[in-house]
């Protein structure tokens, strides 16, 4: 079966980084001879709509389609999440095997999906890896995180301090300015210090597969199915994208100063031994809070606690 790659690029994303990356990789793609189409997006939700239509077409024609669609996002983790939302809206779980596969050319500031799945962070190398994977037939099915309200995350959900910092990063011009000199990840660190100065921990109830855990003075609760988020922070070092389980890291009952001094250890994953950092694992995770608590999905604001999420096993095929 012939492969058809659908490249999705938002020219405005990342201060134009996605478009610059596309211009770099396009000559290599054209030399490869692989069939492809280009979708330039301009409006919020447009990526999801393109992917929904591609997925509906793939499901509707069943076995007589002359080519296989693969969605390739050139951008960041937020655009990738929007693409997955569109794909998964198109059909019931029973038809999931007919959905287009998904791949990624990193052009964001965090690119944690790429880290979690062994995709090179260099765009040219990422495209070469994709073309090799197509020739060799390499792919895998991965879990996603789904909420009871219909939301989706490919990699992480978070409540508390990390969600507040993610919101601050997304609203700030700092990320865009630092991105121009390839220091976009530094925005997270700088805004963490600013947000932390005014942030107050709250009491929560974390429910893991029906077992309730009352927790006091919680700074954050991070749920993920890959080790890193926030641009390389290995918050759940043992998380796996295909085991049907979600890993949870909770930080509670420590001082603000201890949190600041411990923060650098998250990048190596050595924070696991710090008192006040605990871990849980399960298929379904619910969190309730005693006061308002921001929530993010793959670094994008999605409201406030409570949240009720579960691992949707083998929901998406990725080309790696």
């Amino acid at each position: 079966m012939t492969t058809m790659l659908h490249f999705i690029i938002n020219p405005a994303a990342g201060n134009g980084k996605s478009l610059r990356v596309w211009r770099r990789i396009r000559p290599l793609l054209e030399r490869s001879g692989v069939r492809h189409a280009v979708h330039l997006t301009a409006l919020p939700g447009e990526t999801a709509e393109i992917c929904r239509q591609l997925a509906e077409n793939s499901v509707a024609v069943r076995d007589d389609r002359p080519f296989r669609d693969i969605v390739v996002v050139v951008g960041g983790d937020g655009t990738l999440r929007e693409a997955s939302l569109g794909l998964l809206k198109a059909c019931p779980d029973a038809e999931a095997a007919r959905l287009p596969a998904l791949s990624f050319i990193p052009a964001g500031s965090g690119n944690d999906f790429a880290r979690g799945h062994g995709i090179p962070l260099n765009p040219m190398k990422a495209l070469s890896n994709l073309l090799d994977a197509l020739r060799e037939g390499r792919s895998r099915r991965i879990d996603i995180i789904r909420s009871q309200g219909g939301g989706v995350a490919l990699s992480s959900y978070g409540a508390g301090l990390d969600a507040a910092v993610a919101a601050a990063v997304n609203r700030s011009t700092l990320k865009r300015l630092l991105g121009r000199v390839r220091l976009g990840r530094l925005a997270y660190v700088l805004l963490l210090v600013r947000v932390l100065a005014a942030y107050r921990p709250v009491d929560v109830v974390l429910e893991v597969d029906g077992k309730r855990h009352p927790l006091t003075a919680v700074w954050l609760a991070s749920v993920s199915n890959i080790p890193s988020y926030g641009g390389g922070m290995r918050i759940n070092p043992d998380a796996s994208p295909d085991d049907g389980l979600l890993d949870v890291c909770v930080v509670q009952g420590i001082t603000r100063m201890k949190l600041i001094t411990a923060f650098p250890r998250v990048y190596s994953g050595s924070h696991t031994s710090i008192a006040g950092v605990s871990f849980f694992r399960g298929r379904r995770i619910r969190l309730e809070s005693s006061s308002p608590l921001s929530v993010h999905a793959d670094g994008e604001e999605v409201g406030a606690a409570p949240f009720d999420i579960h691992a949707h096993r083998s929901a998406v095929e990725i080309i790696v």
Side-chain angles (χ1 to χ4, degrees):
M1 181 180 290
T2 303
T3 296
M4 181 71 169
L5 301 182
H6 292 267
F7 286 83
I8 296 182
I9 304 109
N10 178 358
N15 199 32
K17 183 177 179 180
S18 295
L19 188 57
R20 292 194 299 273
V21 165
W22 168 245
R23 287 170 176 163
R24 284 176 57 197
I25 67 173
R26 187 168 189 170
L28 174 59
L29 176 65
E30 292 177 343
R31 287 196 300 271
S32 74
V34 175
R35 291 186 61 185
H36 64 276
V38 181
H39 306 267
L40 297 176
T41 66
L43 301 173
E46 194 171 353
T47 292
E49 179 59 20
I50 291 169
C51 291
R52 184 191 64 78
Q53 292 178 7
L54 289 172
E56 286 185 348
N57 290 340
S58 292
V59 172
V61 297
R62 300 207 171 255
D63 296 325
D64 57 352
R65 193 174 183 87
F67 53 85
R68 180 194 190 203
D69 289 324
I70 297 175
V71 172
V72 185
V73 171
V74 182
D77 291 333
T79 306
L80 192 64
R81 173 177 174 266
E82 188 179 339
S84 68
L85 276 167
L87 292 177
L88 293 163
K89 281 180 180 178
C91 70
D93 293 349
E95 299 283 1
R98 298 184 182 277
L99 291 176
L102 190 61
S103 195
F104 186 46
I105 306 295
S109 56
N111 301 320
D112 288 292
F113 183 88
R115 287 187 182 86
H117 298 282
I119 298 171
L121 297 182
N122 178 284
M124 293 294 286
K125 292 181 179 179
L127 179 60
S128 294
N129 180 73
L130 169 58
L131 297 175
D132 288 344
L134 292 174
R135 285 190 291 267
E136 298 167 12
R138 296 198 318 259
S139 70
R140 65 189 296 199
R141 298 202 70 85
I142 62 168
D143 309 332
I144 61 165
I145 307 171
R146 296 197 93 152
S147 76
Q148 293 301 100
V152 168
L154 281 171
S155 304
S156 66
Y157 257 77
L161 178 63
D162 57 348
V165 174
V169 169
N170 291 336
R171 293 170 184 161
S172 172
T173 59
L174 187 61
K175 180 179 177 182
R176 185 177 71 252
L177 294 174
L178 289 172
R180 291 176 179 173
V181 290
R182 300 183 179 182
L183 292 174
R185 290 170 59 187
L186 184 58
Y188 191 99
V189 178
L190 296 175
L191 288 168
L192 168 65
V193 175
R194 181 191 297 177
V195 172
L196 184 59
Y199 194 85
R200 297 291 182 272
V202 303
D203 296 343
V204 308
V205 175
L206 179 71
E207 186 176 309
V208 182
D209 290 341
K211 184 176 181 180
R212 292 169 66 85
H213 303 271
L215 305 170
T216 59
V218 170
W219 289 97
L220 64 89
S222 178
V223 187
S224 63
N225 64 4
I226 60 173
S228 71
Y229 79 155
M233 293 184 286
R234 294 178 59 82
I235 190 72
N236 283 303
D238 296 326
S240 170
D242 56 8
D243 63 357
L245 300 172
L246 301 176
D247 285 48
V248 188
C249 175
V250 175
V251 180
Q252 65 172 131
I254 64 176
T255 66
R256 186 174 277 100
M257 183 56 65
K258 184 175 180 181
L259 185 61
I260 291 174
T261 57
F263 173 71
R265 294 177 61 178
V266 181
Y267 284 94
S268 65
S270 62
H271 63 295
T272 56
S273 61
I274 297 173
V277 178
S278 53
F279 294 87
F280 304 83
R281 178 177 289 158
R283 289 178 173 79
R284 182 172 178 179
I285 310 296
R286 178 176 170 81
L287 185 136
E288 305 168 1
S289 63
S290 60
S291 57
L293 199 62
S294 299
V295 175
H296 79 85
D298 289 339
E300 303 289 326
E301 297 173 74
V302 291
F307 67 70
D308 190 341
I309 58 179
H310 66 277
H312 181 174
R313 191 155 199 181
S314 300
V316 174
E317 181 185 8
I318 62 172
I319 307 298
V320 291

